[in-house]
Amino acid sequence: MKSLSKILEKWEPVIGLEVHAQLSTDTKMFCGCRNMYGDPPNTHTCPVCLGLPGALPVANEKAIEYTLKLGLALGCKISLKSHFARKNYFYPDLPKGYQISQYNEPLCLGGSVTIRQNGELKEIPLIRIHLEEDAGKSIHSADEKGTKIDFNRCGVPLVEIVSAPEIRSPKEAREYLIRLKQILQYLGICNCHMEQGNLRCDANISLRRKGEKPFGIRTEMKNMNSFRGVERALFFEINRQAGLLESGKEVVQETRLWNESEQKAEVMRGKEDAPDYRYFPEPDLVPMVITEKQLASIRSDLVELPHEKEDRMLSDYGIRLNDAIILASDVHLVDYFEQIVELGVDPQEAVKWMLGVMLRVLKDEIYIIESFPIKPNRLATLLKAVGNGIVNINTAKSVFQKMLTSDKTATQIIKEEGLMQVSDSEKLRTIIEGILLHHPDEVSRYRDGKKGLFGFFMGQIMRKTRGQSTPKIVKEILTEILDGNKT
Ligand code: ADP
Ligand code: MG
Ligand code: ZN
């Protein structure tokens, strides 16, 4: 394989992504069946989603609202009149023989997703966002004959977000996907569990000679199951297409399946064109009419987008961009942060704690922030105790560990276990004098000039006070006793 940088000297990648996101509504798109992942197969089905004769679909209002929410958040033009269309194709997981989708007049047109590349904001324009229904799931197992089909997923509301071919590198593609996922999470309209198939991406890519305008012939890749997978699949395809083009051959427009274990994309089928699907307006559903009033109400409770949140964290709390990016990457994490700051914790201390202690605990002990046992008010009390010098940071870490498995407040644990820092200087002085009396030899060697023994005394004192003494005060008293004339 040629090195990528060598290829990129001559060829420019042109990438467009089609992302399918399942909407987290309670029920399916056109029937009252529950929209639920992980239940026993075929337990959420009815005549509508099984495509039985005579069954009639009714559109899910919530799904339409969610789509509009996304469209408005991304600055799309909303079609006030919109309709569903039948997309006809035969596949075992599609019992009706067609998918209800949108063709002309999708709900949302245009708009963009803002990404950050090397610190700079860049807008990736969108072509459209439309609403459709998911298909069922075919289950092929190696040791059993045949294919089993689970129709629980059949009819789950799905939005398709189609980017313009304006993405210029695999890294940019990954960044776009990360942002889009964050946005869906911020808006609370998709669960975004890739392993459950909530979020799926097809990647279209072509190469053009650097400096040229017209696009080359593209291929489409499917079946990537992570954002890294998309990035790797794009690298693979850049290499393959460059190889063809440089040896004077043509790229064939086709759909390829990414094989993660072999790290290559294999031909799946030639690319269908729209006429193959014989689209026509869905006769069983009335056209959708969206009112300005409806849009105004959705617009009024739109939330900040991730990149806006990051910028505001810099200006409101003075924290570093990199830290803001980590916090804002998860809407629940950044909510948690803002809650403890609201409760009076210093933002810098909150960042230090959340990035330094909390993220590790979340990861090592496999908690998710939404159900984290220490709620913001409990952590705020603990961090304020650190700020007020009641406990030091190390004690706070052990209190934090205890709070994970107990309902007690930080204050209770600190009191019950006597963990307050010993900063009462008379009490400290007595302890220090006791220790020095136990080490007469070291004291005289210190006074004879072995100043390195200072650390030894500090260590003894910290151990005796179980790390709860304030080092600065200990140092002061110790210096005074050792270097002064007292014995
Ligand atoms: P289709 O209807 O076949 O799915 P679209 O025109 O809707 O085709 O485009 C699908 C995706 O392919 C979009 O994300 C678009 O940006 C991308 N795309 C279109 N042409 C090219 C190209 N020449 N190179 C790379 N991506 C492309
Ligand atoms: Mg398409
Ligand atoms: Zn149903």
Side-chain angles (χ1 to χ4, degrees):
M1 266 194 197
K2 263 192 157 174
S3 82
L4 187 74
S5 54
K6 198 101 198 129
I7 294 174
L8 297 183
E9 281 169 16
K10 227 162 129 190
W11 302 95
E12 183 180 41
V14 171
I15 300 167
L17 300 178
E18 294 167 277
V19 172
H20 283 100
Q22 286 180 341
L23 297 175
S24 52
T25 52
D26 293 334
T27 55
K28 292 189 183 180
M29 186 62 228
F30 298 112
C31 62
C33 290
R34 291 195 68 76
N35 170 11
M36 182 82 86
Y37 177 88
D39 280 350
N42 300 308
T43 49
H44 302 298
T45 60
C46 74
V48 174
C49 56
L50 289 176
L52 301 186
L56 289 174
V58 178
N60 183 333
E61 216 179 326
K62 198 84 194 167
I64 297 171
E65 183 193 315
Y66 280 6
T67 310
L68 296 174
K69 213 169 166 179
L70 180 62
L72 289 175
L74 297 179
C76 303
K77 180 176 174 298
I78 306 296
S79 312
L80 295 179
K81 266 186 63 200
S82 174
H83 67 261
F84 289 104
R86 285 191 186 180
K87 179 178 183 180
N88 298 279
Y89 62 94
F90 178 77
Y91 208 73
D93 60 17
L94 192 71
K96 294 197 293 287
Y98 59 85
Q99 176 192 28
I100 304 180
S101 180
Q102 296 198 277
Y103 188 50
N104 305 326
E105 300 186 325
L107 271 172
C108 316
L109 288 163
S112 65
V113 171
T114 305
I115 65 170
R116 221 181 264 280
Q117 280 287 283
N118 311 320
E120 300 281 310
L121 295 180
K122 172 177 176 183
E123 284 185 18
I124 305 291
L126 300 178
I127 298 174
R128 58 191 264 148
I129 301 175
H130 69 249
L131 181 55
E132 58 187 27
E133 57 176 340
D134 210 343
K137 204 170 159 55
S138 305
I139 303 155
H140 317 278
S141 84
D143 49 346
E144 286 174 71
K145 280 191 204 141
T147 297
K148 294 175 177 172
I149 300 182
D150 177 6
F151 287 115
N152 284 352
R153 199 179 75 175
C154 193
V156 163
L158 204 60
V159 282
E160 180 172 341
I161 304 144
V162 184
S163 89
E166 295 290 338
I167 298 168
R168 292 289 172 264
S169 71
K171 184 163 168 266
E172 219 170 81
R174 183 160 164 268
E175 179 67 20
Y176 169 89
L177 291 170
I178 292 173
R179 282 294 174 190
L180 192 53
K181 175 177 172 188
Q182 288 171 358
I183 292 165
L184 292 164
Q185 283 176 324
Y186 271 54
L187 296 172
I189 61 174
C190 173
N191 292 328
C192 297
H193 301 306
M194 289 196 77
E195 72 289 355
Q196 297 182 5
N198 294 156
L199 199 60
R200 306 179 315 248
C201 170
D202 302 336
N204 297 270
I205 175 162
S206 61
L207 296 183
R208 65 178 169 192
R209 219 172 263 282
K210 258 205 147 154
E212 278 185 5
K213 272 250 162 332
F215 291 150
I217 294 171
R218 69 174 144 139
T219 56
E220 179 177 8
M221 275 180 301
K222 289 181 177 291
N223 202 41
M224 293 79 76
N225 53 19
S226 67
F227 294 165
R228 288 264 179 228
V230 173
E231 202 179 358
R232 283 193 287 264
L234 287 167
F235 275 129
F236 169 88
E237 195 55 11
I238 289 173
N239 250 297
R240 193 189 67 88
Q241 292 188 8
L244 286 174
L245 295 170
E246 299 214 335
S247 60
K249 297 192 187 114
E250 278 186 359
V251 173
V252 178
Q253 182 166 343
E254 61 200 359
T255 301
R256 299 185 144 245
L257 273 192
W258 176 244
N259 183 331
E260 182 66 43
S261 54
E262 294 187 22
Q263 297 286 305
K264 61 181 190 192
E266 292 143 341
V267 180
M268 175 185 167
R269 57 166 190 243
K271 172 82 185 151
E272 298 90 345
D273 279 326
D276 297 334
Y277 290 123
R278 306 178 321 280
Y279 279 101
F280 63 89
E282 168 59 57
D284 290 340
L285 286 162
V286 291
M288 279 179 277
V289 179
I290 313 294
T291 63
E292 287 292 352
K293 195 168 155 221
Q294 198 177 351
L295 292 182
S297 127
I298 296 172
R299 206 177 270 125
S300 71
D301 49 50
L302 279 181
V303 293
E304 259 174 333
L305 293 179
H307 72 275
E308 295 167 340
K309 176 84 86 186
E310 290 162 2
D311 285 344
R312 193 172 54 75
M313 307 255 289
L314 302 194
S315 58
D316 283 11
Y317 309 125
I319 69 178
R320 297 192 329 214
L321 178 62
N322 278 349
D323 293 344
I325 289 175
I326 299 173
L327 285 173
S329 68
D330 181 331
V331 68
H332 302 292
L333 196 67
V334 75
D335 271 357
Y336 193 107
F337 169 82
E338 293 203 279
Q339 283 184 54
I340 57 177
V341 170
E342 183 84 4
L343 289 165
V345 176
D346 175 61
Q348 303 296 337
E349 294 305 317
V351 172
K352 249 196 263 167
W353 188 274
M354 289 192 65
L355 300 187
V357 181
M358 195 142 142
L359 279 185
R360 185 156 351 108
V361 171
L362 282 168
K363 190 160 155 266
D364 291 352
E365 312 198 14
I366 324 182
Y367 285 112
I368 53 168
I369 186 93
E370 297 98 293
S371 53
F372 193 60
I374 304 176
K375 298 294 167 212
N377 59 341
R378 296 177 75 213
L379 182 61
T381 311
L382 177 61
L383 294 189
K384 280 191 276 182
V386 178
N388 296 334
I390 296 170
V391 291
N392 65 26
I393 198 96
N394 284 328
T395 308
K397 284 180 191 165
S398 77
V399 174
F400 185 75
Q401 281 297 336
K402 292 190 174 114
M403 288 167 75
L404 283 172
T405 50
S406 143
D407 287 335
K408 290 181 184 160
T409 63
T411 318
Q412 276 172 324
I413 296 175
I414 293 168
K415 272 218 182 96
E416 281 174 17
E417 307 202 3
L419 298 174
M420 266 89 78
Q421 297 198 90
V422 186
S423 47
D424 171 341
S425 40
E426 276 321 300
K427 203 167 145 197
L428 263 180
R429 184 180 295 275
T430 315
I431 296 174
I432 294 171
E433 284 173 349
I435 287 173
L436 294 184
L437 276 178
H438 266 91
H439 297 283
D441 291 349
E442 283 84 356
V443 172
S444 54
R445 272 163 58 211
Y446 176 87
R447 288 188 175 143
D448 288 344
K450 246 186 137 349
K451 297 295 175 198
L453 281 165
F454 196 85
F456 164 78
F457 295 123
M458 281 298 286
Q460 293 293 316
I461 298 161
M462 296 315 275
R463 191 167 319 145
K464 180 92 183 181
T465 56
R466 288 189 297 145
Q468 293 156 32
S469 45
T470 315
K472 189 166 156 276
I473 302 179
V474 174
K475 218 178 248 170
E476 274 167 23
I477 300 176
L478 190 60
T479 312
E480 186 195 318
I481 301 178
L482 286 174
D483 298 343
N485 286 326
K486 292 188 183 176
T487 46

